[in-house]
Amino acid sequence: MTVNELRSKYIEFFKSKGHTEISGKSLLPDNDPTVLFTTAGMQPLVPYLLGETHPSGDRLTDYQKCVRTGDIDSVGDASHLTFFEMLGNWSLGSYFKQESIAYSYEFLTSPKYLNIPKEKLNVTVFEGEKQPDGVEIPRDEEAARRWEEMGIAKEHIFFLPRSDNWWGPAGQTGPCGPDTEIFYDNGQPKCGPDCKPGCHCGKYLEIWNNVFMGYNKDAQGHYNEMARKCVDTGMGVERTVSVLNGQKSVYETDVFLPIIQCIEELSGRKYGTSDADDVAMRIIADHVRTATFILGDPKAVTPARTGAGYILRRIIRRAVRYGRKLQIDGSFLAKPAEIVIGEYKDAYPELSERAAFIREQLTLEEEKFSKTLKAGEAEFQKLLPNLQKNPKMVIPGRVAFRLYDTFGFPIEITQEMAKENGMTVDLEGFKEMEKKHQEESRTLSAGSFKGGLGDHSEITTKYHTATHLLQQALVQVLGDEVAQKGSNITDERMRFDFSFHRAMTKEEVKQVEDIVNEQIQKDLPVTMEVMDLEAAKASGARALFGEKYEKQVKVYTIGPKDGWFSKEVCGGPHVQHTAQIGTFKIAKEQSSSAGVRRIRATIEGGLPLDKQ
C-alpha cells in the first residue's frame, strides 16, 4: 500500500457513499488565533460543524495537509512527524453513529479497499460519566452494539473514559461528544494483563477516529443534546500506510524512502547502520518535507523571528544542524526538497508551481544560519574571559540557552567549545530554560489532535465581516495592487495582512478607517448566495489568491445587489447588516514581511446580531 493508493481509495470509497470531495485548505488558517498552522483535517470545517451550511452539501470528504510542532523534539522516533496528511469524512446532520461505523468497517475490511482481517481490529467507545450537576452522559452502548453487529468480537470492544474517548468542546462552550477510536493489533504479545487499546507498548496502533458531535456544552457547563448531530472523522495517512505494510516506522513508507536515499547520497552514510545516523536522517527527512509544504503553500510564510515564520526557521535550522552531524557540507536542503516536490506534485500542484521559491528560501535560510553560527562563535569567545572566572569552570544554563535562542547555537557546539577550554556546561539549567521555552512555543503553535479551533462568538463574527469592508476600503484608497494575504481574529482585535509595496501615510490610514465606518453607518445589508465559482468571479466577487475553492461557493455581498460595496467568496460567518459591527478603529499599520503590510484594528459597540 502506497500513500497515493490509500489517499485515492479513501476518497473513492466515500464518494461512492454519496460524499462530495472538497479541496483541502491552506496550512496557514485564517481567523484562528489558537494555532499557527492547520493541525487537523477538521479545522477548516469548523464553521460548518457549528451550523453554517456548506455549499457542497452535508456529506463531505477530503485530504488535508497538517502541521503540528508540539512534539518536535520527538521527531526521529518511529512515528512522530511535524507534517502529515489527514483523511476525513463528515456528516453535517446527514447521518450519525450507525452509518459512520458501518462505513468505517466496510472501508477497513472490504477486499476492494484495505482488506484488513476483522480479527486485527479493536475499538474503544465512551464509558459514560455522571456530571457534577447530576446529569448522566450514558455509556455509548449504541456504538458498541453497532461494532458488534458489523462483526467486531465483543472482547475487542473496550469502554474507556473521557480522557480517551471524548472530543471537545474546542473552547469553554460548543459542540462536543463521544468518539470511537479504531486500533490495529500488530500481533506482538500483550505487555501485561491490562494491555488494551490506549496502552503505549506498541501492540495497538490507532488508525482512525470517529467523533460523534451530539452535545452542546453551555456556559453553565451543562451538556445538552443537539438536534443537528454531526460526525467528524480523521485517519492519518503515513501512520496507516506503515501499519498496513507491517513497517516498523513511518519512515519506511514509500514517501520517505526516496528522501532518505537522497540524504544518504549527500552524507555518504547508510541508513540502518547507526542509530544516531538514522535519527539524524529521519529528522532531516521530516523537516525538509515540512518546510517544503509550508513554503509551497499559497499563503506561504518565510522564515522569521515570530509566529509561523519562527516555526519554519526553527525546522530548517534544525535540519541543517543534523546535516552537520552527518558531515554534510554547505547548503543542501534544496536537493531533498526537489524529491518532496516530485512525489507530491499531483496531489498538491502548488508545490511544483512554487518550486523555485521553495529552493530559494531554503538556501537563503541555510546561508543565514551559517552566518549566525559564526556570530555565535564570536559571542562565545567574547564571553569566555568572564566565564573562565567561575571557579567551577561551568558555563551557566542561561548563557548556553541565550547562545542557542539568540544565535541559533546548538548546545552540542557550546559543549564542544566549552570542553576545548577546559569547561563544562550546566546542562540541567539549559534544559530547564529550554523546557520553559518549549511550553511557550507549544501554547503558541501546537494545537492538539482534537482541538485548535477558532472562536465563533458574536464579536469575532463582527470582526470577520469588518475584514471584508477593510479590504475593499484599502483597494479604493491604495489601488488594485492590494490583495489579502491572511487575517487573524481574536475577541480583542483583528489583524489583516495585504500586499502593498510601501508604508501607508497617516492620511491614507485615516481615509481607509473613514470609509469602513461610513459603510457601517449606512447599515448595509449582508446577503449570501451559493453559486458556481466561475460565475462568482464573473459577477465581480473577490477570491483569496491561491486558495482552493469548491465548484460551488458561498458569496457574501455587502450592500444592495445593484450597487454593492463588497463582494467576496467566503465561508462565513457574517453579520446580517453592517450597523451590527460597531465603530472601527485602526490601531497600527506596519510591515509584516517583504511586500506585505499589516493592519491591526479594533471595533467597539454595534447592534446585537439577529436571532437565526
Side-chain angles (χ1 to χ4, degrees):
M1 177 71 69
T2 67
V3 161
N4 282 340
E5 284 170 352
L6 176 61
R7 197 192 296 118
S8 298
K9 281 177 182 286
Y10 187 94
I11 298 297
E12 175 199 329
F13 174 80
F14 281 100
K15 283 169 76 173
S16 78
K17 301 299 181 185
H19 294 64
T20 301
E21 182 183 1
I22 58 172
S23 298
K25 300 301 181 188
S26 169
L27 266 178
L28 293 119
D30 273 335
N31 303 331
D32 187 344
T34 62
V35 285
L36 296 175
F37 296 104
T38 299
T39 58
M42 55 87 71
Q43 201 171 324
L45 273 294
V46 172
Y48 310 105
L49 294 167
L50 291 172
E52 291 273 325
T53 54
H54 196 287
S56 296
D58 55 13
R59 291 182 176 217
L60 311 171
T61 186
D62 77 356
Y63 54 92
Q64 173 67 46
K65 48 188 179 179
C66 306
V67 165
R68 286 189 208 147
T69 56
D71 294 322
I72 191 170
D73 294 306
S74 300
V75 170
D77 66 6
S79 62
H80 280 90
L81 298 169
T82 48
F83 170 87
F84 60 97
E85 287 185 88
M86 190 71 88
L87 299 166
N89 65 281
W90 292 272
S91 163
L92 305 176
S94 173
Y95 59 81
F96 205 44
K97 295 177 187 179
Q98 297 289 317
E99 296 91 334
S100 176
I101 288 170
Y103 293 154
S104 295
Y105 182 83
E106 183 182 348
F107 181 69
L108 290 166
T109 61
S110 165
K112 187 179 176 184
Y113 294 101
L114 300 194
N115 200 25
I116 299 174
K118 63 183 180 183
E119 296 76 25
K120 288 274 189 186
L121 298 176
N122 292 261
V123 297
T124 61
V125 292
F126 182 56
E127 72 175 13
E129 67 179 21
K130 188 171 279 191
Q131 298 302 302
D133 59 7
V135 174
E136 191 169 330
I137 298 179
R139 271 163 68 96
D140 198 348
E141 298 285 1
E142 181 187 352
R145 192 163 50 247
R146 185 58 167 158
W147 279 118
E148 211 174 333
E149 288 170 1
M150 297 312 301
I152 301 295
K154 204 164 193 171
E155 57 270 23
H156 284 199
I157 301 169
F158 300 85
F159 287 90
L160 295 182
R162 170 183 287 266
S163 56
D164 293 282
N165 281 87
W166 184 272
W167 183 91
Q172 294 301 308
T173 61
C176 52
D179 65 16
T180 183
E181 299 185 359
I182 307 165
F183 293 80
Y184 180 89
D185 181 352
N186 67 8
Q188 74 183 48
K190 289 190 175 189
C191 65
D194 295 327
C195 186
K196 60 187 175 188
C199 176
H200 297 294
C201 71
K203 177 177 175 61
Y204 298 102
L205 302 161
E206 183 193 344
I207 55 174
W208 208 345
N209 183 15
N210 297 22
V211 179
F212 305 126
M213 294 184 182
Y215 291 88
N216 186 64
K217 185 183 179 186
D218 63 25
Q220 288 71 46
H222 300 138
Y223 289 87
N224 307 299
E225 275 203 62
M226 292 195 298
R228 178 181 176 269
K229 296 178 167 70
C230 295
V231 178
D232 153 45
T233 81
M235 172 183 267
V237 172
E238 296 86 351
R239 174 180 282 196
T240 303
V241 167
S242 69
V243 166
L244 292 172
N245 293 339
Q247 292 157 337
K248 291 177 183 175
S249 90
V250 290
Y251 296 96
E252 293 177 18
T253 56
D254 64 293
V255 287
F256 275 108
L257 290 177
I259 306 171
I260 288 173
Q261 188 179 353
C262 176
I263 298 164
E264 285 179 324
E265 290 167 4
L266 288 164
S267 65
R269 310 281 180 96
K270 188 72 181 163
Y271 186 77
T273 55
S274 154
D275 286 348
D277 285 358
D278 286 359
V279 167
M281 288 187 190
R282 287 172 174 180
I283 288 170
I284 296 167
D286 169 83
H287 287 10
V288 75
R289 189 174 75 134
T290 303
T292 299
F293 268 92
I294 294 172
L295 290 166
D297 196 274
K299 297 184 196 169
V301 293
T302 52
R305 295 180 64 87
T306 58
Y310 169 74
I311 301 297
L312 173 60
R313 169 165 284 169
R314 186 179 174 205
I315 284 168
I316 294 171
R317 292 187 171 191
R318 199 162 184 259
V320 172
R321 275 170 43 211
Y322 279 91
R324 284 180 167 234
K325 288 188 176 187
L326 296 175
Q327 296 180 318
I328 302 175
D329 295 323
S331 301
F332 70 95
L333 291 179
K335 288 182 180 175
E338 286 286 357
I339 306 291
V340 176
I341 294 165
E343 287 187 323
Y344 284 100
K345 65 184 179 185
D346 291 338
Y348 300 99
E350 64 267 27
L351 296 183
S352 49
E353 290 163 12
R354 297 174 63 87
F357 176 77
I358 293 167
R359 289 192 300 269
E360 170 197 86
Q361 289 297 319
L362 286 172
T363 304
L364 271 174
E365 187 58 26
E366 285 181 280
E367 289 168 355
K368 277 185 190 173
F369 188 38
S370 179
K371 290 175 185 172
T372 297
L373 286 174
K374 284 179 184 171
E377 286 167 4
E379 180 71 8
F380 182 90
Q381 294 301 331
K382 193 170 86 176
L383 295 171
L384 193 58
N386 273 334
L387 293 171
Q388 287 177 323
K389 290 176 184 175
N390 181 332
K392 293 184 179 177
M393 297 290 279
V394 175
I395 296 175
R398 60 182 171 74
V399 174
F401 185 75
R402 180 172 169 268
L403 285 167
Y404 165 72
D405 190 43
T406 306
F407 294 94
F409 214 55
I411 184 63
E412 298 87 352
I413 294 180
T414 303
Q415 286 177 298
E416 283 171 21
M417 293 183 72
K419 189 177 178 182
E420 287 167 9
N421 290 277
M423 304 182 75
T424 58
V425 177
D426 173 15
L427 206 54
E428 288 305 310
F430 174 83
K431 285 178 180 174
E432 278 179 32
M433 294 288 290
E434 188 179 37
K435 186 179 178 184
K436 183 181 176 186
H437 177 78
Q438 282 169 358
E439 282 168 5
E440 290 168 3
S441 179
R442 277 197 183 96
T443 304
L444 248 181
S445 67
S448 65
F449 184 73
K450 299 175 180 177
L453 314 179
D455 183 18
H456 290 265
S457 62
E458 187 165 300
I459 184 68
T460 58
T461 299
K462 292 180 178 185
Y463 270 122
H464 183 74
T465 312
T467 65
H468 289 230
L469 297 176
L470 174 59
Q471 172 151 338
Q472 186 58 33
L474 285 165
V475 170
Q476 287 188 4
V477 173
L478 303 177
D480 288 332
E481 178 188 339
V482 169
Q484 182 178 341
K485 301 298 286 185
S487 62
N488 185 275
I489 289 170
T490 70
D491 281 344
E492 289 80 36
R493 57 98 183 119
M494 63 179 279
R495 195 181 74 204
F496 187 86
D497 291 354
F498 60 98
S499 54
F500 198 58
H501 65 282
R502 61 166 173 84
M504 292 173 67
T505 65
K506 285 182 180 178
E507 292 74 21
E508 287 169 338
V509 170
K510 180 71 167 63
Q511 203 178 342
V512 167
E513 188 179 275
D514 288 346
I515 291 171
V516 172
N517 282 314
E518 184 186 343
Q519 307 314 312
I520 291 170
Q521 285 154 17
K522 284 181 180 176
D523 199 16
L524 300 172
V526 181
T527 55
M528 187 276 286
E529 291 176 87
V530 174
M531 60 176 80
D532 182 83
L533 178 60
E534 293 310 312
K537 288 178 179 176
S539 76
R542 258 179 221 290
L544 195 61
F545 175 75
E547 180 64 280
K548 290 183 178 179
Y549 292 104
E550 326 313 332
K551 288 178 183 174
Q552 291 285 303
V553 294
K554 287 182 174 182
V555 175
Y556 281 88
T557 302
I558 301 177
K561 288 191 176 181
D562 56 352
W564 46 266
F565 176 76
S566 163
K567 186 183 275 195
E568 285 193 41
V569 175
C570 187
H574 296 77
V575 301
Q576 292 90 11
H577 47 103
T578 57
Q580 293 172 324
I581 295 172
T583 305
F584 177 82
K585 177 72 179 169
I586 295 177
K588 199 171 191 180
E589 189 274 347
Q590 63 191 124
S591 171
S592 171
S593 60
V596 178
R597 306 298 299 176
R598 172 170 289 174
I599 280 178
R600 293 176 186 271
T602 58
I603 52 176
E604 286 183 8
L607 301 174
L609 301 194
D610 300 344
K611 298 290 184 193
Q612 293 294 312

